């Protein structure tokens, strides 16, 4: 497990997560309360036995990777070779070896000689799930670059460039802000990648660079609210997205502690809410609907009453099971498929 923590999000720590549900009893050199026994009073040898205990989960930091980033780290991605990983900040992407903490290789650097000429920043990066030489990174201009580390040590030239042409009729003051990509994730198969911008999730085929193959609207009802979302800075929120284990469904967060799920096969979607009221053990989550004007139905919530301070930016889906984790402000919710 890796995280970017402390020192203003510029340091990376590798953690070991372990579980213990047994403890050893019957030591020779110490009593059950932990006090050392007098060796001269020990007259027989005992074989310690393992006894069951309440499950304990322990996290201990094993390595610290520091001094390689000038700006806040926005992405960490472990490579498929399980030996290397990449870390990205606004302007650079570094490649690390998990065993070497004091040295990394810079593989992308978009910092201009004159910072006044800076027009875009790196927003997310991820390694390919099967090809350890391939990675992608997204930008604040809504573009995604796929790079191959076999081509050059410094990947300043991309292999593929993914961008959807903008519809001139929908251009507005907010167009560039809401097109900024906040997350990019390869599918488990490695054939597709998913990107999240402010209003939508897009699925791209790696063989087709000029437009996404699927687009899902996350909260289109907020398009008319962009002015107030700009004033309260919510328009700069960075929502993550994730695939389920079979790549048949995707999930991402929204406001009011809502999160959205999209079935890629049936094209059906659902809005669910992570809240203390709805998360009692074995309680079934009820679909939520947002009314966008006109007469509001009984179970619908009005756009104007959405709480923009309650937001789900981080979501995760178990790689094999239908178990999801949703982070809502300072609460972590774990939901699983209904068990009959």
């Amino acid at each position: 497990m890796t995280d970017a923590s402390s020192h203003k999000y510029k340091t990376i720590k590798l953690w070991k997560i372990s579980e213990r549900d047994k403890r050893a009893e019957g030591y020779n050199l110490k009593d059950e309360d932990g006090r050392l026994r007098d060796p001269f009073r020990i007259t027989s040898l005992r074989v310690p036995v393992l006894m069951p205990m309440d499950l304990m989960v322990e996290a201990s930091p094993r390595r610290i990777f520091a001094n390689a980033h000038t700006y806040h780290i926005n992405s960490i991605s472990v490579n498929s070779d399980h030996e290397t990983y990449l870390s990205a900040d606004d302007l650079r992407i570094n490649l690390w070896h998990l065993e070497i903490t004091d040295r990394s290789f810079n593989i992308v650097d978009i910092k201009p000689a004159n910072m006044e000429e800076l027009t875009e920043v790196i927003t997310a990066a991820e390694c390919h799930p099967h090809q350890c030489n391939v990675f992608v990174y997204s930008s604040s201009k809504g573009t995604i670059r796929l790079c191959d580390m076999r081509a050059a040590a410094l990947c300043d030239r991309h292999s593929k460039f993914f961008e959807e042409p903008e519809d001139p009729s929908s251009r507005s003051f907010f167009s560039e802000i809401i097109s900024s990509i906040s997350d990019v994730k390869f599918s488990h198969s490695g054939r597709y990648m998913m990107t999240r911008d402010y209003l939508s999730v897009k699925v791209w085929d790696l063989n087709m660079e000029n437009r996404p193959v699927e687009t899902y609207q996350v909260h289109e009802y907020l398009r008319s609210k962009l002015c107030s979302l700009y004033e309260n800075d919510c328009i700069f929120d960075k929502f993550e997205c994730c695939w389920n284990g079979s790549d048949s469904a995707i999930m991402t967060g929204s406001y009011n502690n809502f999160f959205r799920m999209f079935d890629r096969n049936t094209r059906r979607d659902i809005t669910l809410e992570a809240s203390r009221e709805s998360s009692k053990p074995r309680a079934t989550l009820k679909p939520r609907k947002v009314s966008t004007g006109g007469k509001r139905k009984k179970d619908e919530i009005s756009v104007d009453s959405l709480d923009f301070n309650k937001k789900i930016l981080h979501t995760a889906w178990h790689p094999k099971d239908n178990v999801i984790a949703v982070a809502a402000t300072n609460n972590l919710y774990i939901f699983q498929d209904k068990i009959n």
Side-chain angles (χ1 to χ4, degrees):
M1 177 186 174
T2 54
D3 80 342
S5 59
S6 77
H7 302 297
K8 297 188 177 177
Y9 310 105
K10 296 171 189 174
T11 299
I12 301 160
K13 293 181 181 178
L14 177 72
W15 296 77
K16 181 178 180 181
I17 311 291
S18 54
E19 292 183 346
R20 281 198 302 160
D21 60 358
K22 293 182 176 65
R23 70 169 184 269
E25 286 187 2
Y27 287 102
N28 289 287
L29 298 177
K30 59 183 179 181
D31 293 323
E32 299 307 328
D33 58 6
R35 285 183 298 181
L36 290 174
R37 298 171 68 192
D38 183 351
F40 296 104
R41 296 193 174 184
I42 299 171
T43 56
S44 62
L45 284 177
R46 292 185 292 183
V47 177
V49 292
L50 290 174
M51 301 295 288
M53 59 177 267
D54 290 339
L55 179 67
M56 275 181 62
V57 179
E58 296 175 325
S60 53
R62 286 303 166 96
R63 290 190 187 88
I64 296 175
F65 306 83
N67 307 322
H69 284 279
T70 310
Y71 305 95
H72 287 191
I73 295 168
N74 57 45
S75 302
I76 299 172
S77 178
V78 179
N79 213 337
S80 60
D81 59 12
H82 300 299
E83 288 187 351
T84 57
Y85 72 92
L86 60 80
S87 59
D89 65 23
D90 285 356
L91 299 179
R92 293 189 179 98
I93 301 176
N94 294 327
L95 182 71
W96 300 80
H97 193 286
L98 284 162
E99 299 294 332
I100 302 170
T101 59
D102 59 350
R103 189 169 70 249
S104 63
F105 297 94
N106 180 230
I107 53 175
V108 172
D109 188 345
I110 66 166
K111 185 179 181 180
N114 180 2
M115 282 295 277
E116 290 178 5
E117 295 170 7
L118 184 69
T119 58
E120 64 181 329
V121 295
I122 298 166
T123 55
E126 191 179 52
C127 297
H128 191 278
H130 310 303
Q131 298 168 314
C132 61
N133 51 288
V134 173
F135 69 96
V136 292
Y137 67 94
S138 57
S139 92
S140 55
K141 281 195 165 179
T143 61
I144 311 105
R145 292 169 174 86
L146 183 140
C147 301
D148 189 338
M149 288 185 273
R150 294 174 302 184
L154 185 66
C155 300
D156 48 2
R157 289 204 184 107
H158 49 265
S159 304
K160 294 189 176 185
F161 183 78
F162 300 84
E163 182 178 28
E164 185 174 26
E166 188 185 28
D167 179 5
S169 64
S170 64
R171 175 137 189 93
S172 74
F173 171 77
F174 305 108
S175 293
E176 194 167 308
I177 301 172
I178 63 173
S179 68
S180 176
I181 292 172
S182 56
D183 198 17
V184 57
K185 291 274 170 52
F186 279 110
S187 62
H188 295 88
S189 68
R191 168 77 188 273
Y192 301 97
M193 67 178 172
M194 165 172 54
T195 58
R196 171 72 206 260
D197 57 43
Y198 190 65
L199 294 179
S200 65
V201 170
K202 293 169 183 170
V203 175
W204 304 76
D205 188 321
L206 292 191
N207 299 320
M208 193 166 84
E209 300 169 51
N210 60 342
R211 61 187 170 85
V213 289
E214 299 160 28
T215 300
Y216 302 95
Q217 301 303 330
V218 178
H219 37 217
E220 185 63 20
Y221 46 79
L222 295 183
R223 193 174 287 275
S224 61
K225 303 278 179 193
L226 292 177
C227 196
S228 56
L229 290 164
Y230 177 76
E231 287 174 356
N232 65 15
D233 278 351
C234 284
I235 201 168
F236 301 106
D237 285 335
K238 292 175 168 45
F239 292 95
E240 294 175 2
C241 51
C242 60
W243 302 84
N244 72 339
S246 62
D247 298 332
S248 62
I250 55 185
M251 173 172 63
T252 191
S254 182
Y255 292 104
N256 210 69
N257 279 359
F258 288 172
F259 60 98
R260 304 269 283 136
M261 291 172 141
F262 304 92
D263 188 311
R264 297 180 61 212
N265 298 324
T266 63
R267 291 304 176 106
R268 285 164 59 188
D269 64 272
I270 191 169
T271 302
L272 299 169
E273 182 181 2
S275 66
R276 294 195 172 184
E277 294 74 43
S278 64
S279 63
K280 293 183 175 69
R282 304 188 76 81
T284 304
L285 293 180
K286 294 184 177 65
R288 305 301 306 264
K289 282 210 165 47
V290 177
S291 85
T292 54
K295 195 169 182 189
R296 185 165 65 89
K297 293 179 185 162
K298 183 187 170 193
D299 293 331
E300 289 183 340
I301 182 166
S302 161
V303 178
D304 296 318
S305 58
L306 294 174
D307 188 340
F308 292 107
N309 291 316
K310 292 180 178 176
K311 56 192 88 170
I312 292 179
L313 303 178
H314 311 288
T315 57
W317 207 314
H318 191 283
K320 295 187 179 70
D321 303 330
N322 260 343
V323 177
I324 60 168
V326 173
T329 322
N330 58 350
N331 295 308
L332 177 67
Y333 297 91
I334 296 178
F335 303 107
Q336 67 177 21
D337 216 2
K338 191 174 179 184
I339 299 171
N340 295 324

